[in-house]
């Protein structure tokens, strides 16, 4: 059977294109990226949760039907979000090996030159550059943390790209913490017969530069923490450069062995903040230029920059949508009405995904409180706290009137809502507080999953 995700996807696209509108095809189907085939499922990645939900609802059955027509042995299509991509890393690599594709490890466009620098990331960008220029001596380890879609992976690839030009003789290893874990598990399994561990260690401990992306996931496995610790030491004491990224600072990765936390904090810890309005505009301009668009009006750039505040990947996605919408309808992307039309869809879908129930369910699951308790009049501490967090998140994520929120939370009035919101705001002002960490965790899982 043809096992090549890319080939399958290409022929599937051709089959589906005549069946949907040009707009649909361009905006929803075309941007999907085929990754691999696992257990006869074709795995494709979409750029956002919103897109995933929409595609599953509207187009998945057509896609599946066409897939089975052309490839009767295939079981179906599985759509995943970028966050889940790492889970498939192993399969993606296997497939690449099979295809014998000699692609560069580092994404070419993720360079320092293409990285827009502003207030929120100036320190981090300078540190990454300095680390690449002064390997092992300046900032070691360099620990970069920050929210989803703010450029952590981009910076790691920028270091890799820089080194492959300037110091091509060096062995530069980039790995996600999931891949590291998977490799380790496989090595341990393989150990008796084939010297699996020996091979594993020869990859990671002989690196001149080791970059581990999204290290927060190692919290899950003890054996991985152990191996990271020894790998870290081997490299560190040989003055090899180590760069680590995470969605949170070391002290918030839990559980994390104390000795690892100390190691991670032993060099430079730098956070990559959320871009302010001006910087979002600057990023949009850069991305537009990359699409050979030089005349997008400030008004349109402003509308887009206003729409997405904290995720640069989404910001890019919006720009692409507006541009393809303009192309398809043969209107100008500087036509504000067109832009609003293009964005309306997007907002509706987002609001469809994040609902008040959705927030309440996530908080309940996280704090192990039942929904009926949370919405009741009960005032015990175990219930009041999650309830306040919930109210805070609803005010933060949804544009819902305060009275309606109060109504939903057991018929409380809007002053109670304001009180709860302010209380949580106060608590999370100290970003080390327990509440701040909990809120961040919950928010991440609402926004990502
Ligand atoms: P993270 O790893 O932090 O989740 P990524 O590095 O994957 O985020 O970045 C998401 C997208 O946003 C990428 O396409 C990246 O090129 C882009 N991006 C992030 N920060 C910047 C920046 N400062 N300048 C230009 N593009 C950026
Ligand atoms: Mg990343």
């Amino acid at each position: 059977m043809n096992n090549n995700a890319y080939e399958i996807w290409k022929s599937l696209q051709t089959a589906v294109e005549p069946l949907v509108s040009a707009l649909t095809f361009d905006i929803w189907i075309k941007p999907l990226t085929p990754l691999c085939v696992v257990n006869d499922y074709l795995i494709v990645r979409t750029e956002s949760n919103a897109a995933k939900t929409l595609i599953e609802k509207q187009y998945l059955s057509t896609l599946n039907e066409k897939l089975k027509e052309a490839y009767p042995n295939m079981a179906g299509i599985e759509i995943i979000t970028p966050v889940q991509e790492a889970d498939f890393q192993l399969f993606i690599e296997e497939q690449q090996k099979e295809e014998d594709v000699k692609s560069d490890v580092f994404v070419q466009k993720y360079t320092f030159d293409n990285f827009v620098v502003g207030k929120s990331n100036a320190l981090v960008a300078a540190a990454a550059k300095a680390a690449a220029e002064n390997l092992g001596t300046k900032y070691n380890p360099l620990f970069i943390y920050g929210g989803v879609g703010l450029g952590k992976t981009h910076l790691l690839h920028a270091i890799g790209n820089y080194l492959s030009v300037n110091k091509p003789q060096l062995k530069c290893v980039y790995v996600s913490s999931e891949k590291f874990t998977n490799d380790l598990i496989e090595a341990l399994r393989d150990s008796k017969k084939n010297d699996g561990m020996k091979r594993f260690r020869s990859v990671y401990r002989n690196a001149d530069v080791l970059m581990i992306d999204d290290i927060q996931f190692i919290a899950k496995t003890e054996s991985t923490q152990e191996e990271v610790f020894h790998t870290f030491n081997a490299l560190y004491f040989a003055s090899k450069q180590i760069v680590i990224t995470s969605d949170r600072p070391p002290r918030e990765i839990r559980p994390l062995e104390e000795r690892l936390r100390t190691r991670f904090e032993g060099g430079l810890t730098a956070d990559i903040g959320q871009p302010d309005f001006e910087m979002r505009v600057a990023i949009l301009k850069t991305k537009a230029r990359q699409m050979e668009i030089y005349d997008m009006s400030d008004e349109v750039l402003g509308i887009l920059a206003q729409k997405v505040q904290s995720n640069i990947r989404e910001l890019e996605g919006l720009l692409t949508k507006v541009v393809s919408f303009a192309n398809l309808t043969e209107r100008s992307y500087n036509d504000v009405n067109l832009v609003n039309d293009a964005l309306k869809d997007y907002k509706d879908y987002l609001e469809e995904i994040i609902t008040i129930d959705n927030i309440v369910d996530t908080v309940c699951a996280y704090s192990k409180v039942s929904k009926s308790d949370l919405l009741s009049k009960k005032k015990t501490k175990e219930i009041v706290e999650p309830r306040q967090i919930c109210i805070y998140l609803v005010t933060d994520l949804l544009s819902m009137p305060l009275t309606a929120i109060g109504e939903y939370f057991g018929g409380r009035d809007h002053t109670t809502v304001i009180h709860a919101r302010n209380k949580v705001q106060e608590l999370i002002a100290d970003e080390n507080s327990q509440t701040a960490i909990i809120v961040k965790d919950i928010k991440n899982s609402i926004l990502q999953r």
Side-chain angles (χ1 to χ4, degrees):
M1 191 185 79
N2 184 339
N3 205 30
N4 182 320
Y6 179 74
E7 289 302 322
I8 297 177
W9 180 243
K10 228 172 42 186
S11 70
L12 191 56
Q13 274 196 330
T14 316
V16 171
E17 188 166 5
L19 304 177
V20 296
S21 77
L23 185 64
T24 294
F25 186 76
D26 230 53
I27 292 188
W28 302 111
I29 311 288
K30 218 161 105 190
L32 294 171
T33 312
L35 295 178
C36 53
V37 175
V38 180
N39 296 335
D40 297 330
Y41 276 87
L42 174 64
I43 313 291
V44 297
R45 189 200 59 218
T46 167
E47 73 211 37
S48 70
N49 270 332
K52 174 175 149 75
T53 309
L54 177 101
I55 296 163
E56 283 176 346
K57 213 158 86 190
Q58 312 262 14
Y59 310 115
L60 190 60
S61 56
T62 313
L63 286 166
N64 273 330
E65 211 174 281
K66 288 289 143 191
L67 175 74
K68 282 176 198 160
E69 265 173 34
Y71 301 94
N73 291 334
M74 293 289 290
I77 295 170
E78 171 91 22
I79 297 172
I80 65 162
T81 60
V83 191
Q84 299 167 305
E85 183 172 348
D87 299 340
F88 293 93
Q89 207 54 41
L90 207 68
F91 299 105
I92 297 169
E93 271 152 31
E94 260 170 27
Q95 177 140 356
Q96 281 178 348
K97 255 184 255 153
E98 276 168 29
E99 292 166 19
D100 202 23
V101 178
K102 295 236 175 344
S103 69
D104 270 336
V105 195
F106 300 111
V107 177
Q108 276 195 351
K109 61 175 185 180
Y110 288 176
T111 59
F112 285 122
D113 283 345
N114 287 340
F115 195 75
V116 178
V117 176
K119 242 188 295 165
S120 58
N121 64 9
L123 175 72
V124 156
K129 193 94 194 278
E133 286 165 354
N134 308 276
L135 290 175
T137 53
K138 184 116 182 168
Y139 301 126
N140 207 19
L142 172 59
F143 191 101
I144 299 173
Y145 70 90
V148 185
L150 293 181
K152 300 180 297 293
T153 300
H154 185 133
L155 279 176
L156 293 186
H157 284 255
I159 293 174
N161 282 319
Y162 172 88
L163 291 174
S164 58
V165 172
N166 293 292
K167 292 176 184 149
Q169 73 283 6
L170 293 187
K171 214 175 133 213
C172 198
V173 176
Y174 166 91
V175 67
S176 65
S177 66
E178 269 111 337
K179 177 167 186 316
F180 188 90
T181 305
N182 289 338
D183 282 3
L184 178 64
I185 292 168
E186 199 172 324
L188 288 168
R189 201 189 302 130
D190 235 31
S191 224
K192 290 209 185 74
K193 287 200 305 266
N194 303 320
D195 272 347
M197 275 313 284
K198 207 164 153 187
R199 270 185 295 132
F200 176 87
R201 290 187 173 139
S202 85
V203 171
Y204 292 109
R205 297 198 189 177
N206 288 327
D208 294 301
V209 178
L210 177 64
M211 302 191 276
I212 308 183
D213 208 356
D214 289 321
I215 195 95
Q216 71 270 11
F217 295 119
I218 65 163
K220 282 188 274 186
T221 7
E222 232 171 83
S223 59
T224 313
Q225 294 207 16
E226 171 96 21
E227 194 59 31
V228 167
F229 180 73
H230 293 298
T231 308
F232 187 105
N233 285 346
L235 295 173
Y236 182 80
F237 291 114
S239 297
K240 306 296 189 186
Q241 180 69 44
I242 300 160
V243 187
I244 297 169
T245 74
S246 166
D247 68 349
R248 62 195 79 187
R251 62 175 184 278
E252 285 180 23
I253 302 176
R254 288 178 198 172
L256 183 70
E257 289 177 21
E258 189 58 21
R259 54 181 189 168
L260 265 179
R261 187 182 62 75
T262 326
R263 289 289 186 284
F264 291 168
E265 289 175 345
L268 180 72
T269 306
D271 76 335
I272 193 162
Q274 295 187 354
D276 60 16
F277 179 78
E278 271 81 60
M279 192 172 152
R280 297 200 296 276
V281 170
I283 290 170
L284 284 168
K285 280 188 182 158
T286 310
K287 304 286 171 190
R289 254 195 321 266
Q290 286 169 9
M291 298 160 83
E292 297 185 7
I293 290 174
Y294 304 96
D295 62 345
M296 190 168 268
S297 72
D298 288 345
E299 188 179 8
V300 169
L301 290 168
I303 295 175
L304 296 179
Q306 201 61 55
K307 211 84 187 171
V308 176
Q309 321 238 326
S310 62
N311 183 330
I312 295 171
R313 189 181 293 121
E314 268 181 36
L315 198 60
E316 285 179 28
L318 273 196
L319 178 69
T320 318
K321 288 223 163 78
V322 167
V323 171
S324 39
F325 200 77
N327 285 342
L328 284 163
T329 51
E330 295 182 359
R331 286 157 76 189
S332 159
Y333 42 71
N334 283 333
D335 171 351
V336 173
N337 290 330
L338 167 121
V339 173
N340 286 329
D341 282 351
L343 296 188
K344 206 161 95 236
D345 282 359
Y346 181 78
K347 185 161 163 276
D348 288 350
Y349 296 131
L350 270 193
E351 293 209 333
E352 202 170 296
I353 308 299
I354 307 177
T355 62
I356 191 161
D357 284 320
N358 188 213
I359 295 173
V360 173
D361 289 342
T362 313
V363 173
C364 285
Y366 191 95
S367 44
K368 307 204 168 52
V369 165
S370 78
K371 194 166 178 172
S372 57
D373 277 348
L374 197 118
L375 300 180
S376 74
K377 301 258 183 220
K378 286 189 192 162
K379 289 199 170 133
T380 48
K381 187 169 183 297
E382 301 76 66
I383 297 170
V384 170
E385 233 174 55
R387 185 186 295 139
Q388 290 180 333
I389 290 180
C390 230
I391 292 177
Y392 165 78
L393 286 169
V394 172
T395 59
D396 185 38
L397 297 172
L398 301 178
S399 45
M400 204 171 152
L402 297 177
T403 46
I405 299 175
E407 194 59 39
Y408 182 93
F409 284 92
R412 295 174 156 80
D413 72 21
H414 71 283
T415 52
T416 317
V417 174
I418 294 174
H419 172 75
R421 184 195 60 194
N422 294 352
K423 177 89 187 291
V424 175
Q425 254 165 6
E426 232 166 74
L427 288 172
I428 62 178
D430 169 12
E431 52 177 82
N432 290 328
S433 71
Q434 191 65 25
T435 313
I437 296 168
I438 294 174
V439 168
K440 197 160 150 190
D441 265 353
I442 295 179
K443 204 166 158 178
N444 273 342
S445 71
I446 293 171
L447 294 174
Q448 289 175 21
R449 305 288 160 196

